[in-house]
Amino acid sequence: MIVNTIWHGQRAFTAVGDSGYEIKMDATPKYGGEGQGVTPTEMLLGALAGCIGIDVTMILNRYLHEITKLEIETNGVRKEGLPSGFTDIEVIFKIDGAVDAKRIWRAIELGKAKYCAVSDSLKANITFQLILNGERA
């Protein structure tokens, strides 16, 4: 999978993946941005919620007609200093409907342990490369 991210000046970027959809990102004014898009850390929390949400709805597919509301809130606690990455992330499922809690918990646990690529990727080895003026530097 490749996501191409283009700079638009100041702190603004647009990312486009294989799906063709654009995601606009920007820093808040505190960090020199104009707040014209999601911040990368908001996107990370949203990606985690979206990924586990897709997995849970796939696992509970037979019971979706019993669910009247499904909202996922992600709360990230950031460390002091730089880089201010997340030290803890809490994912809260807010569900209304006639589905047994044990069934939902099983879907959440199965999604986390077996299917959610985003939560699994948060453990990834991340490497960086630089291509400057067309040449690897």
Side-chain angles (χ1 to χ4, degrees):
M1 173 184 293
I2 295 174
V3 174
N4 206 15
T5 305
I6 309 295
W7 178 54
H8 299 288
Q10 289 299 97
R11 310 294 181 264
F13 290 85
T14 301
V16 180
D18 295 336
S19 66
Y21 291 103
E22 291 186 355
I23 301 169
K24 295 185 185 310
M25 294 177 281
D26 197 1
T28 62
K30 176 181 176 181
Y31 295 103
E34 297 178 5
Q36 297 296 311
V38 298
T39 68
T41 49
E42 289 172 333
M43 194 165 71
L44 180 96
L45 293 178
L48 175 60
C51 185
I52 193 70
I54 289 169
D55 295 335
V56 165
T57 57
M58 288 176 66
I59 294 164
L60 294 175
N61 194 53
R62 294 173 42 190
Y63 305 97
L64 291 182
H65 67 282
E66 301 288 342
I67 294 175
T68 57
K69 172 188 160 189
L70 193 163
E71 179 182 331
I72 304 166
E73 178 182 314
T74 47
N75 297 316
V77 176
R78 297 174 78 170
K79 65 183 175 184
E80 296 292 325
L82 297 175
S84 58
F86 293 113
T87 58
D88 295 282
I89 298 173
E90 179 182 40
V91 181
I92 303 168
F93 282 81
K94 299 176 182 180
I95 299 175
D96 291 343
V99 181
D100 185 60
K102 288 181 189 176
R103 189 175 307 279
I104 296 170
W105 271 115
R106 185 178 180 322
I108 292 168
E109 290 165 1
L110 190 59
K112 179 187 175 209
K114 191 171 182 180
Y115 298 112
C116 184
V118 174
S119 66
D120 188 60
S121 295
L122 292 174
K123 304 176 240 174
N125 178 40
I126 300 172
T127 60
F128 295 90
Q129 296 182 35
L130 171 61
I131 299 172
L132 181 61
N133 299 320
E135 294 185 24
R136 182 171 281 169

